[in-house]
Amino acid sequence: MDTQVESAIEIAWNPTSDQNLKAQAFDFLNQLRNDPSGWQVCLSLFTRSALPSEVVRIVALEVVNNAVQTHQLDAPSLGFVKENLMEYVRRVYGETGAEASVDTVAIQNKLTQTVTYLFNALYASGWENFFDDFLALGRNKDGSTKDNLLGSALYIRILISIHDEIADVLVPRSPEEQKKSNQLKDLVRQRDMQKIVASWQEVLARWIERNDAIVELCLKSVGRWVSWIDISLVVNESLLNLLFQLVGRTQATGSAGGVDKVRDAAIDTFTEIVGKKMNPTDKIDMMIFLKLGDIVGQLIASSPLNELRATSNYDTDMAEAVAKLVNNAAFDIVKTLDIETNEQTRRKADGLLQIFLPFVLRFFSDEYDEICSTVIPSLTDLLTFFRKDVKANGALASHYDAMLSPILTAIVGKMKYDETSSWGNEDAETDEAEFQELRKRLHILQQAVAAVDEPLYIDALSTVVANTFARYSQEQRQLNWRELDLALHEMYLFGELATRNGGLYNKSQPASVAAERLLQMMAQMVESDTASFPHPAIQLQYMEICVRYASFFENHSQLIPRVLENFVRLVHHDHVKVKTRSWYLFHRLVRHLRAKLGNVSQTVIEAIGDLLLIKAELPQQGSDDDDMSSDENDQSADALFNSQLYLFEAIGCIASTSSVPVEKQVLYASSVINPLITDIQNHLESSKNGDERAALQIHHDIMAIGNLAKGFSDWTPGGNSASAAPAPEVSEAFGRADEAVLVALESLKTSLDVRTAARFAFSRLIGVLGTRILPQLHRWIDGLLSQNSTNDEMAVFLRLLDQVVYGFKTEIFDILDSLLTPLLQRVFAGLSEPITGTDDEIQLAELRREYLNFLLIILNNDLGSVLVSATNQQIFDTVISTIEHFAKDVADVPTAKLAFSVLTRMSAVWGGPDLPSPTSTETSPPSPTLPGFDRFMITRFSPLCWSLPTNPSFNAKDPQARQVLGEIGGLQKVILAKTGGEFVAWLRDVELRGLGIEGEPMEEYLRALTSLDLKGFKQFFQAFVQRTGG
């Protein structure tokens, strides 16, 4: 059997084996794994003297592991495994260690895992002397230690593995597993903890000068176990002296590259000791007893962290280890100050804080961001504590107040790019992203300082910015770009405090002290000609700040020409990232300052005219659309064009200000529109012949026209905008663009790109054309709702038509009357399309809702008669049928609710005047606006009210279902108001009786319908349906 198992493993793991044989081998091994006696063969394979290959031994031991871990073995079987493995361990790792060289690291790890599983199963009962057995590997019979490196190493490996199995808090465990782990930890503490601690001391003392590998392993073991054992066992003179020796050693035994892993492991051990959960008073006393401040001070002063700090030999691993130790210590010191009430303990903690704050700031200011990030948590906690202290006492204690300035100085200093960093280099994108992420964290710290001492924050930041601008004015280009970038970045962030009360100004005066300082910074920035600094990062920051605080220029309009001149120069920048971002920022600036630009409009428009040339480029074959690299996206043709569109909108903003005469507005608009129209005409024939690039060029031209129109007019028909509609002459100029877009759309309606661009242009041209667009509506509909249009496109266009109908409700009737039938026929065709996937389902639901909303817009704007006009009478039944269909759809309750809203509105519009209540003595017949509509409501609309409640799939308790029930109740109240007693008679004699609602439930229902107000009946109907189940 041994031979058969061995062969199967060899075949299964041999890459050259025949696939059929390999499959048979795996099947055999799976059967072996599930065989109750399979582990015996595998145990024999692993422990026999004539060792098989490594893969055979690992797989064999894994089968044994599985049997032990999954509780397949009874107590005698577990004992058998234990005895056989211990016999093997003694033979291989015992006194002679003669055979140990054949065990690879992988086998040692697997053996350690097996032993750990046996510990889990037998330590409580069956292997009480577990630790003694493995300790014996490194001891003579008289108990003295001996030079058995392999035996001692195996013992330490097992200790680490046991911790990971029963005490690692990151390992998920079931409640039963956690309970057993806790019991095992308790047993270890009771039986063996002291001898384990003594064994650490023995191993460290014997190998401290001889073998770093086992010393490092031992330290890792101590660091893991210290979290759940009695700290007094570890904090003893013997063990601490060994740790002090390791922490302070200057030369590694056999280490390479100047990195001392043992020293770093010893530091990590101190970190774990300091991080152990314990009473705050005991923690502070332990830090003092350990002389932790002295230890850290000596480490910081050591050559790897001091003399070598500015060199390539700086030991960053050691720095990060010490930083972690400092962070843990500072965290506990601050926590003690925050929660401890004992004055003596607080005084001790205050003393430690005075010692450790410089350590925190030392690592916080480290050139390596990973090391800086290590201590940010403790610095955050300290500032939070300061803020609580201010809130509780009104002011920060003086000894704490003195700490704030160096903290803020360190934060500001860390905000600066370090000397080795570059900007805009594709190879450094990851580093740049990480640094910007760090800046966000630093900004949070700055905000925390401002929350503690706002005047300090204002003065410090103002000084940094003012001094930098002053130096720049004197030194000009000799100033390091990193210095200027820091000042601009801090200025950008400073504005959050300055504009906290809603803006920079309050009645033309600075809104706050911070606002006043920011206004001074803005003046310095512009007057010092910062925009001329020859570095793209500075130029970008300059533009970002000008846009963010554009309100400054409203009160300093004399600076606008200078700033515009800088922007015009920067929109022509050679660096793609600066150029594309500047196009967007230029648009933002001129939109904000458009009222102030009249006297410079022509100059600015002429200066950027060369940037308006559009050149479409098809995406390169094999390009990755999912590439998220910012620089690559900036350089793609599509991204460049999207940024270029902001220039067209900016031209519209500049050219349409009230200070620009109408004839000039027409001139500026035409100067942009005419080349675009010509370009569309030049590419139209090629596009119709299938030239993709020509079609994309037309798409770009149309999008540019739309963005120009967007910039030209903020006016929305029917809206409450303060902006006035454009002058007729301007509308006429855009009328030529409207015609050009329509011609392109009619010729290329099968192109999704062209339809998309045209739809965008249509939405923007409404604001500049006004009623001029109405005669062209049928052409827009014909082009945008072609046979190739998706349901999503139709839904979006219907939303646009909602705006048109609402905005031009007094002028649109005749046009709407003529185009409604073809429009709705297109919609009906879309509604009837089969669903082939989730996307189709989502688009169909959206089209349903937009169709119903469109009907509501018509009804709500006194245009309902267009639905029943002679022109559209033929589709009225189809309209009603679609609404009825949606009202019954239990799978789409939101759409059903909207359908009932349409029916309610139809009833209100065409049902005639409200009749007296059926409970009153007055009577009068219904007088519907549409002849016969009273009976139509009763016989068609009323039965629909029960279609959802009587559906078995309808859940009346669902929140959305309750909403639709409320809408249904509202419909019934409107029908009652329009038809009176006829509706009550219908319900009593036909409808309710047909539903099986008779007797008292029927009378209760009719009483509620006739006597309750609208809100009351809605609530009654919801409860009635829930109670009766429909």
Side-chain angles (χ1 to χ4, degrees), residues 949-968:
T950 56
N951 191 312
S953 301
F954 184 75
N955 179 10
K957 296 181 180 179
D958 180 79
Q960 287 188 331
R962 288 181 57 81
Q963 290 181 9
V964 76
L965 288 175
E967 200 65 46
I968 292 171

Side-chain angles (χ1 to χ4, degrees), residues 490-765:
E490 289 292 4
M491 183 178 167
Y492 185 85
L493 298 179
F494 186 83
E496 293 185 9
L497 178 63
T499 58
R500 185 174 58 190
N501 297 323
L504 290 175
Y505 294 98
N506 182 14
K507 297 180 180 178
S508 299
Q509 295 299 315
S512 63
V513 174
E516 185 178 5
R517 297 290 182 88
L518 181 60
L519 295 174
Q520 294 169 4
M521 296 178 197
M522 289 290 296
Q524 278 186 291
M525 181 188 75
V526 177
E527 291 167 356
S528 65
D529 199 23
T530 306
S532 297
F533 191 89
H535 193 282
I538 305 305
Q539 295 157 347
L540 266 181
Q541 285 269 39
Y542 172 86
M543 290 187 287
E544 296 280 2
I545 290 170
C546 286
V547 170
R548 191 176 204 191
Y549 307 118
S551 59
F552 164 81
F553 298 106
E554 294 177 357
N555 283 33
H556 297 79
S557 55
Q558 75 279 6
L559 297 175
I560 292 177
R562 187 173 187 173
V563 171
L564 281 176
E565 182 182 347
N566 289 329
F567 268 75
V568 168
R569 175 170 50 82
L570 293 172
V571 296
H572 290 85
H573 204 284
D574 293 333
H575 196 291
V576 175
K577 185 174 182 180
V578 177
K579 180 166 63 178
T580 53
R581 181 66 179 169
S582 69
W583 292 348
Y584 166 73
L585 294 171
F586 176 71
H587 147 260
R588 288 277 309 278
L589 183 73
V590 299
R591 176 168 281 280
H592 190 94
L593 300 177
R594 64 192 304 179
K596 305 278 186 179
L597 301 180
N599 58 339
V600 295
S601 296
Q602 183 171 354
T603 305
V604 174
I605 291 173
E606 290 174 351
I608 67 171
D610 60 308
L611 298 174
L612 302 182
L613 179 64
I614 294 174
K615 184 180 179 182
E617 294 181 25
L618 292 171
Q620 294 182 359
Q621 291 293 330
S623 63
D624 186 358
D625 293 338
D626 295 328
D627 191 346
M628 298 302 290
S629 168
S630 58
D631 274 3
E632 286 189 22
N633 277 347
D634 283 347
Q635 295 176 30
S636 70
D638 191 47
L640 282 170
F641 172 68
N642 288 334
S643 296
Q644 190 181 19
L645 289 176
Y646 289 116
L647 293 177
F648 286 94
E649 187 174 343
I651 292 288
C653 291
I654 297 170
S656 60
T657 59
S658 57
S659 57
V660 177
V662 172
E663 61 272 16
K664 288 284 188 181
Q665 292 187 27
V666 174
L667 176 64
Y668 299 152
S670 298
S671 68
V672 179
I673 290 172
N674 290 342
L676 294 172
I677 293 175
T678 301
D679 200 41
I680 290 174
Q681 293 169 344
N682 290 341
H683 287 88
L684 195 56
E685 201 60 38
S686 300
S687 299
K688 291 195 291 189
N689 292 329
D691 187 331
E692 292 184 24
R693 201 208 68 80
L696 187 62
Q697 182 75 21
I698 290 176
H699 163 274
H700 285 11
D701 291 333
I702 295 173
M703 290 294 293
I705 289 171
N707 276 274
L708 180 68
K710 180 182 178 183
F712 240 93
S713 177
D714 289 332
W715 176 73
T716 303
N720 298 320
S721 173
S723 304
E729 295 88 342
V730 173
S731 296
E732 185 176 347
F734 276 97
R736 295 194 299 275
D738 175 59
E739 178 63 25
V741 174
L742 279 171
V743 169
L745 176 62
E746 289 165 343
S747 301
L748 303 170
K749 65 174 68 174
T750 58
S751 168
L752 174 61
D753 283 343
V754 171
R755 292 199 307 271
T756 301
R759 188 169 60 249
F760 171 79
F762 172 77
S763 69
R764 300 309 175 187
L765 287 169

Side-chain angles (χ1 to χ4, degrees), residues 814-829:
D814 290 340
I815 295 171
L816 187 62
D817 186 45
S818 65
L819 61 79
L820 186 64
T821 292
L823 169 65
L824 292 185
Q825 285 174 340
R826 303 282 176 85
V827 174
F828 295 153

Side-chain angles (χ1 to χ4, degrees), residues 876-892:
F876 182 71
D877 282 344
T878 308
V879 170
I880 295 298
S881 297
T882 56
I883 300 171
E884 289 177 331
H885 174 73
F886 299 149
K888 297 175 183 178
D889 191 353
V890 72
D892 190 356

Side-chain angles (χ1 to χ4, degrees), residues 53 187 296 305 348 395 490 605 613 673 735:
S53 67
L187 280 175
V296 173
L305 299 190
K348 293 178 181 177
E490 289 292 4
I605 291 173
L613 179 64
I673 290 172

